[in-house]
Amino acid sequence: MQNQESKNQSGAQKNSLQLTGIERQLVLQYLMDANVPVTLTEEIELGQEKAEKEHRIRTVASGVFPVALPGEQITVLDQGIILLKNPPESIKVFDEKKVRVQFYFNRLGLYFITTVKTVKSGLALVIPSVISKIQEKETKKTENFSAILCFNLNSSSEKNISSSVNCGFSPEYPLFVNPKWSDVEESNQQEAKKYLEKFVMLLRSDGKSIGNGLFLISVVRFLSDKNFSQNQSIEGRKNPPQIIYIDHERLVFAAKKENIIVNKDEEYSVVLGFPISKGPIKERTVYAVFTVENIFEDDLNQKCCAVCRYKNIKEEDVRYLEDKKN
């Protein structure tokens, strides 16, 4: 009975993300009337989990990911067919492959799954009956940890729109756990290795301490992750940075480039909260002032990681953070 209810809820959620017939018709008309840029990624089925098929985006054979097409290279026919005349080589690798086509309609992220076909004039994609809304994986607060980023009054950042921001977290980047190279998707490891070598050389040339270097694994993993920048349900929405690494010496913020709200070499402070289940005190609070040592970007200038080192923190708090990893 419980399994049936779970299936029903899953089906209801899935249907709520799909456009209705009228909505789909409006989107089709929009695609035909406007020069709408789209992004193509290869869609590969990875099997089943909990009786539902899951899909994840993998790097295409060309090594180019994602492949964006400007609106002027696209023609949408009345029959609901997208025609790509004189397609570039980066698109030809998708021939006869299933792809995920993403675009924005009035800032709402939409996508559909289709197969690329060869026609006399180039390549064609049939727009299927199902067009869905992008379901964004939002960053959340953890149950056992909170972090508030505070901006100092002397900060020169023009991006700072408030005095403090609640940071997000991702279950894919567990905190106070040493990251491992195996955490990096196999298809992303070559690119991640390139980033790692580049950043290690940069840090050494600057004379900065790398320590055990474990934080760099989280950095290069995030920057080489192809899914992060694609799953945005609302175009241009501002999301707070998320913490992807933390220890007793430093912490790392990660976000899309426009959402990194700290500047290199400037000072900020962070308030870390650790709930206590028993006792009169409900939370252990750690306060620290830190400096942004480096801001690393991906090659597409879409994502950033801000590597921050504590400058002012109590010794007892340092020991507490060390113990959190034990």
Side-chain angles (χ1 to χ4, degrees), residues 225-236:
D225 180 11
K226 306 304 187 303
N227 292 320
F228 178 82
S229 59
Q230 289 300 296
N231 295 329
Q232 188 169 8
S233 59
I234 304 295
E235 185 178 19

Side-chain angles (χ1 to χ4, degrees), residues 181-194:
W181 185 252
S182 58
D183 295 333
V184 182
E185 288 281 353
E186 186 176 350
S187 59
N188 299 334
Q189 287 186 2
Q190 184 175 354
E191 183 180 5
K193 183 175 182 291
K194 181 188 68 173

Side-chain angles (χ1 to χ4, degrees), residues 243-254:
I243 295 179
I244 61 170
Y245 180 88
I246 186 170
D247 63 17
H248 63 287
E249 293 182 334
R250 55 173 59 84
L251 69 163
V252 178
F253 296 102

Side-chain angles (χ1 to χ4, degrees), residues 18-28 105 131 133:
Q18 296 177 357
L19 300 187
T20 64
I22 295 177
E23 291 172 334
R24 180 182 179 278
Q25 194 58 42
L26 289 173
V27 170
L28 282 179
F105 170 69
I131 299 177
K133 303 171 186 176

Side-chain angles (χ1 to χ4, degrees), residues 96-115:
E96 298 299 326
K97 293 182 178 179
K98 184 179 290 187
V99 294
R100 177 186 178 106
V101 182
Q102 296 187 191
F103 58 97
Y104 288 102
F105 170 69
N106 292 337
R107 297 187 61 208
L108 177 66
L110 301 175
Y111 76 94
F112 58 82
I113 308 298
T114 189
T115 301

Side-chain angles (χ1 to χ4, degrees), residues 53 78 150 158 194 215 270:
K53 290 183 179 180
D78 292 341
C150 305
E158 295 180 358
K194 181 188 68 173
F215 67 95
V270 64

